[in-house]
Amino acid sequence: MESADVIEVCHLADPAATDALGRRLASQLLAAGDGALLLLRGELGAGKTSLVQGLAAALGIAEPVTSPTFALAQHYDTDTGSDAGTTALVHLDLYRLEPGAAADELFAQEEEDARGLGAVLAVEWPERLSFQPEGAWEVALSHAEDGEGRVARITPPGFTPPPGFTPPRSLPPAPR
C-alpha cells in the first residue's frame, strides 16, 4: 500500500497465508520507524496470533510465538544479525482485561517500553481500550463468508474514510 487513503482487503486461505501477511506487514511497520503500532481485531480463532507469528519471523525472532492471553504481554528478542538480543516485538493481549482503565494502563506501559526499545507493538483486542491509539496500523480478521479461510482488512495509519465510505468485502482468493 502506497498511501493512507486506501484499505487493503485480502483473502487468507490458510494459516500459512496469514503468516505470510504478517511477514509482509513487517516491512511496512519497520519502515514506519521506531515504535510502530499494529492493532489486531477479530474474534477468537480469527488468526491474530498466526499473523503475529509471521511478523515475528520477519523480525528475526526464532523462538515460538504464542498468544499472551494469560501472560498479557510477551517481549521477543531478535536472534539474527547485529541486532541479536534486541527486543524487536512486544505482543500484547488485552482480552482478559476489563475495558477501560486496566487495559489503558497496561497499553500505556507496554507502548512506552516498545517505543523505548524501538520494537513493534502488536496489540490483540484493542477494543478493550477506552481510546483509539493514534498512528496505528490496523488489521481486522474475520472468517470468510463462504467458510473458506479468513479475510483481512488492513487499514494504514491516518486513514480517514470519505463520507459514505463502505469498506470493501473480501477480494477473491489469489490464483494458485
Side-chain angles (χ1 to χ4, degrees):
M1 293 186 308
E2 296 299 319
S3 69
D5 60 350
V6 296
I7 290 181
E8 179 181 353
V9 180
C10 44
H11 182 268
L12 306 169
D14 53 30
T18 306
D19 180 277
L21 176 60
R23 290 173 187 262
R24 183 170 60 88
L25 283 172
S27 64
Q28 293 171 311
L29 291 166
L30 290 173
D34 291 346
L37 177 58
L38 175 63
L39 305 178
L40 299 163
R41 299 181 187 278
E43 60 197 36
L44 289 170
K48 296 179 296 292
T49 300
S50 293
L51 190 139
V52 174
Q53 289 167 341
L55 174 65
L59 295 173
I61 297 165
E63 70 181 286
V65 172
T66 58
S67 177
T69 299
F70 295 102
L72 300 179
Q74 295 284 3
H75 291 227
Y76 295 99
D77 296 341
T78 188
D79 296 326
T80 59
S82 61
D83 290 333
T86 303
T87 300
L89 174 65
V90 176
H91 186 190
L92 181 62
D93 188 328
L94 302 174
Y95 180 74
R96 293 187 322 118
L97 297 178
E98 290 295 320
D104 292 354
E105 184 177 321
L106 181 60
F107 173 83
Q109 176 185 339
E110 294 300 333
E111 181 183 36
E112 183 178 341
D113 285 352
R115 288 193 188 282
L117 296 166
V120 171
L121 174 59
V123 181
E124 295 188 32
W125 298 96
E127 50 272 37
R128 298 282 201 256
L129 297 169
S130 66
F131 63 96
Q132 174 68 27
E134 292 184 23
W137 284 83
E138 197 167 314
V139 177
L141 295 160
S142 59
H143 296 277
E145 288 181 14
D146 64 5
E148 299 292 323
R150 308 282 190 273
V151 175
R153 287 178 176 80
I154 306 161
T155 307
F159 176 77
T160 304
F165 175 80
T166 303
R169 293 195 169 266
S170 174
L171 296 178
R176 292 187 184 253

